[in-house]
């Protein structure tokens, strides 16, 4: 059987409002993306993942959808979308798009009908419950903070929202909802997309008993009854069967968990093709011990028909270069190259986040007026309501805020980074005049140039994009693995420590290995006596035929 295209692809996430502004209004759009497709082709990525571009009031930056089949005017028109798809496909890109199946905006016509009366035919499209003793139906909390229930005065019931109160959860127990969503997916597949990234898909079903959630010893609510519920895998299997009728269509799911045993339930076996492995990607600070342990766990838990994913940044988390650098700019860049090598040579499907390739750093709001993210703004209001000062509330809001990784892409040293000629919708990231694509291209040892080499190397060598692990081990602070495919072996050594390490004589790969890549040197003569420098990443390749 032919290997699916996505198993060897390198994906690149484009956060729609922040990638490139093509019409000068300070917001990224399809025209802007088209203008940068040649740049992405030069970088070498093959799959493009777009965050939501559907009509939306943008309470949650587009993850609150008001119309699934209309382009939001901020991003252009359907003609602009069709142009983008055509231009992307002409360059060999595959395109997957974000889709939110478990909730809509309160502005969606479905919800407007649903809330119009208790007898409306679409009432059961959403989750409505009577008050219990004059209060909320149960103790469920929103993942953005506060109660997960909002009272509707006009009909005298509460509606359920796992996230913001403007994001209303659909009732996936209703077959009409499932049919409507399959029609939405068919609409976009007909327009040429190559698959979907399904947002928070393990929240699709809730317990029909609506039992209270328990709390842990620290007083944090444990979401036992409002995610990963019985019947959810049947619903996902139905969705995936429909999409997989289209040749080559790809399905990736965001599962809100860091538990590998939970994550592994959702892929393979006629379910999602892959899920995001937050057990690896969402580490708040750098820990080599945890990195190694999670890689081992991924290999142990995944079945033969399951493929892991490799990512460390996204629109929902701080950038890994800032998380992993301990506030030291020199260490940030060293670890960034090591993580890049891991993402692009380890077993799995890699997902780069825009700006990874130039080492964009986190943005932190200096005032609440600088903040755009509903999660951060909600945290700010809750902190004030709990008696915190505005300074304390801002600190707590920044801890929750996802704006850190959402600043405009830094293309040039110009005032607005080459992103736009107008004031961007959100502030520019730190050091954008020095840290940008144009400057990084001119630096031979830059993170950008290293990414380009890595992506090209991965594409050339089957062992790096399709090989199995013949070895994975650690030696001191160094991660070692050998990947093997027909006729080829690759040894990857990643020294995350500050001390050199000799690759001892017992470490062998077949044939006559040569140094294919290093972040510190161009060549090395003798594999047997090779000494790995502190923070060095190396890839050795050997043909075994």
């Amino acid at each position: 059987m032919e290997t699916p295209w996505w198993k060897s692809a390198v994906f690149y996430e484009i956060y729609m409002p922040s990638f490139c502004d093509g019409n000068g209004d300070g917001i990224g759009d399809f025209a802007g993306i088209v203008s940068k497709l040649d740049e992405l082709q030069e970088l070498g990525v093959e799959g493009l993942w777009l965050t939501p571009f559907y009509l939306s009031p943008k309470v949650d930056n587009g993850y609150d959808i008001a119309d699934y089949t209309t382009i939001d005017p901020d991003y252009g028109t359907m003609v602009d979308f069709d142009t983008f798809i055509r231009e992307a496909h002409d360059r060999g890109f595959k395109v997957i798009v974000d889709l939110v199946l478990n909730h809509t905006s309160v502005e969606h016509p479905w919800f407007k009908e649903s809330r119009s009366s208790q007898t409306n035919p679409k009432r059961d499209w959403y989750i409505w419950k009577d008050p219990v003793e004059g209060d909320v139906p149960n103790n469920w909390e929103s993942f953005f903070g506060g109660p997960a229930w909002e009272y509707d005065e006009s009909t005298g019931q509460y509606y359920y929202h796992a996230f913001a109160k403007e994001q209303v959860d659909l009732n996936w127990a209703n077959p009409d909802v499932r049919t409507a969503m399959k029609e939405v997916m068919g609409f976009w597949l007909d327009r040429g997309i190559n698959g979907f990234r399904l947002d928070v898909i393990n929240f699709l079903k809730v317990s029909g008993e609506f039992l209270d959630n328990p709390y842990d010893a620290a007083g944090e609510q444990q979401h036992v009854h409002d995610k990963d519920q019985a019947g959810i895998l049947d619903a996902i299997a139905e969705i995936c069967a429909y999409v997989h009728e289209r040749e080559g269509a790809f399905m990736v799911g965001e599962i809100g968990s860091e538990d590998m045993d939970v994550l592994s339930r959702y892929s393979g076996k006629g379910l999602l093709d892959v899920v995001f492995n937050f057990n690896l990607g969402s580490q708040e600070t750098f820990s080599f011990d945890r990195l190694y342990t999670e890689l081992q766990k991924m290999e142990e838990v995944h079945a033969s028909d399951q493929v892991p994913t490799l990512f460390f940044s996204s629109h929902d988390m701080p950038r890994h270069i800032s998380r992993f650098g301990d506030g030291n700019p020199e260490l940030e860049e060293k670890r960034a190259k090591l993580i890049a090598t891991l993402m692009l040579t380890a077993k799995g499907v890699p997902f780069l986040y825009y700006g990874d390739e130039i080492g964009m750093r986190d943005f932190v709001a200096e005032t609440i007026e600088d903040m755009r993210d509903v999660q951060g703004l909600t945290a700010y209001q809750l902190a004030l309501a709990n008696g915190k000062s505005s300074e304390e509330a801002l600190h707590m809001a920044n801890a929750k805020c996802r704006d850190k990784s959402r600043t405009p892409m830094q293309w040039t040293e110009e005032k607005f980074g080459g992103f736009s000629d107008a004031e961007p919708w959100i502030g520019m990231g730190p050091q954008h005049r020095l840290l940008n694509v144009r400057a990084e291209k001119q630096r031979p040892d830059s993170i950008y140039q290293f990414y380009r080499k890595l992506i090209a190397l991965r594409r050339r060598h089957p062992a790096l994009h399709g090989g199995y692990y013949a070895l994975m081990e650690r030696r001191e602070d160094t991660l070692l693995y050998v990947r093997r495919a027909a006729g080829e072996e690759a040894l990857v050594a990643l020294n995350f420590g500050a001390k050199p390490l000799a690759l001892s004589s017992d470490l062998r790969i077949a044939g006559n290995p040569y140094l294919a890549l290093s972040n510190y040197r161009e060549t090395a003569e003798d594999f047997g006596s090779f000494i790995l420098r502190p923070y060095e990443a190396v890839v050795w390749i050997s043909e075994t035929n």
Side-chain angles (χ1 to χ4, degrees):
M1 293 178 62
E2 185 177 349
T3 302
W5 63 269
W6 52 266
K7 286 191 175 182
S8 62
V10 175
F11 285 87
Y12 185 96
E13 180 188 355
I14 293 175
Y15 190 64
M16 285 293 301
S18 295
F19 189 65
C20 186
D21 172 19
N23 66 359
D25 64 357
I27 303 170
D29 49 37
F30 282 112
I33 298 173
V34 169
S35 74
K36 297 299 183 183
L37 288 176
D38 290 342
E39 290 273 9
L40 294 175
Q41 195 169 35
E42 182 180 348
L43 179 62
V45 296
E46 299 140 297
L48 305 180
W49 157 25
L50 306 185
T51 58
F53 48 80
Y54 319 99
L55 186 66
S56 169
K58 301 187 190 65
V59 170
D60 189 19
N61 271 25
Y63 287 87
D64 48 321
I65 298 171
D67 188 330
Y68 284 96
T69 56
T70 297
I71 303 291
D72 192 284
D74 280 344
Y75 305 132
T77 65
M78 193 64 78
V79 171
D80 294 327
F81 172 84
D82 291 339
T83 298
F84 159 71
I85 289 291
R86 183 179 64 253
E87 294 288 340
H89 285 171
D90 285 350
R91 290 167 174 80
F93 293 114
K94 303 286 190 181
V95 178
I96 66 171
V97 301
D98 240 320
L99 190 62
V100 187
L101 296 180
N102 78 307
H103 58 251
T104 72
S105 166
V106 291
E107 298 299 321
H108 198 291
W110 296 345
F111 185 66
K112 289 181 177 181
E113 286 189 54
S114 182
R115 82 186 310 179
S116 65
S117 76
Q118 289 196 27
T119 58
N120 186 277
K122 283 193 171 60
R123 185 67 170 185
D124 194 45
W125 281 44
Y126 295 86
I127 299 170
W128 293 93
K129 298 292 288 181
D130 288 327
V132 174
E133 298 180 355
D135 205 347
V136 292
N138 62 24
N139 73 344
W140 292 358
E141 294 177 1
S142 160
F143 287 83
F144 285 172
W149 298 96
E150 184 72 11
Y151 187 66
D152 182 59
E153 293 278 357
S154 62
T155 59
Q157 287 187 314
Y158 285 89
Y159 67 78
Y160 174 64
H161 59 93
F163 298 94
K165 67 180 187 295
E166 296 87 357
Q167 295 169 288
V168 199
D169 277 52
L170 286 155
N171 177 18
W172 271 77
N174 186 326
D176 291 338
V177 170
R178 300 198 298 271
T179 298
M181 282 308 195
K182 284 189 282 190
E183 289 173 355
V184 166
M185 291 186 283
F187 176 89
W188 292 108
L189 289 164
D190 288 343
R191 297 204 84 92
I193 67 149
N194 303 104
F196 297 97
R197 179 264 191 188
L198 301 182
D199 189 59
V200 291
I201 197 64
N202 61 322
F203 294 79
L204 208 59
K205 304 263 291 191
V206 297
S207 167
E209 298 178 5
F210 294 94
L211 301 173
D212 281 354
N213 280 327
Y215 292 87
D216 64 16
E220 292 286 327
Q221 184 165 119
Q222 303 301 290
H223 293 275
V224 173
H225 302 297
D226 50 358
K227 65 174 185 174
D228 301 309
Q229 295 301 298
I232 192 168
L233 296 183
D234 293 334
I236 291 175
E238 181 180 342
I239 295 164
C240 291
Y242 175 80
V243 172
H244 284 145
E245 289 176 0
R246 309 294 183 107
E247 184 177 356
F250 175 51
M251 296 285 274
V252 54
E254 179 196 25
I255 309 300
S257 176
E258 295 181 9
D259 185 335
M260 194 61 231
D261 293 318
V262 172
L263 293 169
S264 64
R265 298 174 199 164
Y266 287 88
S267 68
K269 306 174 288 294
L271 298 170
L272 297 160
D273 293 308
V274 299
V275 301
F276 286 129
N277 292 122
F278 286 102
N279 65 309
L280 181 70
S282 65
Q283 298 178 40
E284 293 183 9
T285 56
F286 181 77
S287 165
F288 178 70
D289 289 343
R290 183 176 171 192
L291 185 79
Y292 180 67
T293 298
E294 295 296 349
L295 283 168
Q296 282 189 312
K297 184 75 178 287
M298 287 160 65
E299 182 65 7
E300 291 166 5
V301 171
H302 279 115
S304 59
D305 64 341
Q306 294 177 309
V307 182
T309 55
L310 301 161
F311 73 98
F312 289 89
S313 292
S314 79
H315 64 277
D316 279 335
M317 62 179 71
R319 292 185 177 275
H320 68 268
I321 191 168
S322 294
R323 300 200 318 267
F324 291 172
D326 300 339
N328 180 333
E330 188 176 330
L331 184 58
E332 285 176 347
E333 185 156 329
K334 289 175 179 177
R335 282 186 177 159
K337 289 181 178 180
L338 288 160
I339 293 295
T341 310
L342 176 64
M343 279 196 291
L344 291 161
T345 64
K347 182 180 175 181
V349 181
F351 287 81
L352 312 184
Y353 184 52
Y354 85 98
D356 276 356
E357 72 273 28
I358 58 170
M360 282 176 61
R361 267 67 165 186
D362 281 351
F363 164 87
V364 178
E366 295 183 2
T367 70
I368 196 63
E369 289 75 24
D370 296 331
M371 196 171 288
R372 301 289 180 268
D373 177 35
V374 62
Q375 187 166 309
L377 294 170
T378 300
Y380 183 81
Q381 294 301 328
L382 288 172
L384 291 180
N386 288 328
K388 302 295 184 183
S389 69
S390 57
E391 184 177 344
E392 290 171 325
L394 180 62
H395 177 78
M396 295 171 74
N398 269 314
K400 292 284 189 181
C401 184
R402 296 168 296 175
D403 289 340
K404 297 179 184 69
S405 60
R406 297 179 175 184
T407 52
M409 180 63 179
Q410 297 163 195
W411 296 103
T412 70
E413 70 285 350
E414 295 165 283
K415 182 178 181 182
F416 299 128
F419 162 76
S420 178
D421 295 328
E423 184 84 30
W425 71 278
I426 191 172
M428 296 298 300
Q431 297 183 309
H432 64 272
R433 290 186 182 272
L434 297 174
L435 186 64
N436 54 72
V437 174
R438 181 184 290 172
E440 291 289 284
K441 281 186 174 182
Q442 296 170 1
R443 219 167 43 96
D445 63 343
S446 69
I447 294 176
Y448 175 85
Q449 296 293 4
F450 193 64
Y451 264 102
R452 280 194 66 205
K453 291 176 184 177
L454 269 169
I455 294 169
L457 186 70
R458 185 180 192 276
R459 179 179 286 181
R460 287 197 305 270
H461 293 287
L464 295 179
H465 63 245
Y468 65 91
Y469 284 128
L471 168 78
M472 181 193 289
E473 64 180 51
R474 64 174 295 176
R475 299 190 180 186
E476 298 182 22
D477 290 324
T478 294
L479 172 65
L480 298 162
Y481 49 90
V482 173
R483 297 190 66 193
R484 185 176 295 159
E488 188 176 75
E489 284 189 356
L491 181 141
V492 180
L494 305 173
N495 186 358
F496 286 95
K499 299 178 181 178
L501 179 76
L503 296 186
S504 56
S505 58
D506 67 311
L507 189 64
R508 293 293 181 192
I509 59 175
N512 186 24
Y514 68 94
L515 183 67
L517 180 135
S518 165
N519 56 333
Y520 284 117
R521 64 187 102 197
E522 293 297 323
T523 60
E525 294 182 1
D526 186 4
F527 177 80
S529 60
F530 189 83
I531 297 177
L532 201 62
R533 297 178 186 176
Y535 304 107
E536 184 172 16
V538 297
V539 180
W540 292 79
I541 300 289
S542 178
E543 294 181 2
T544 57
N545 282 347

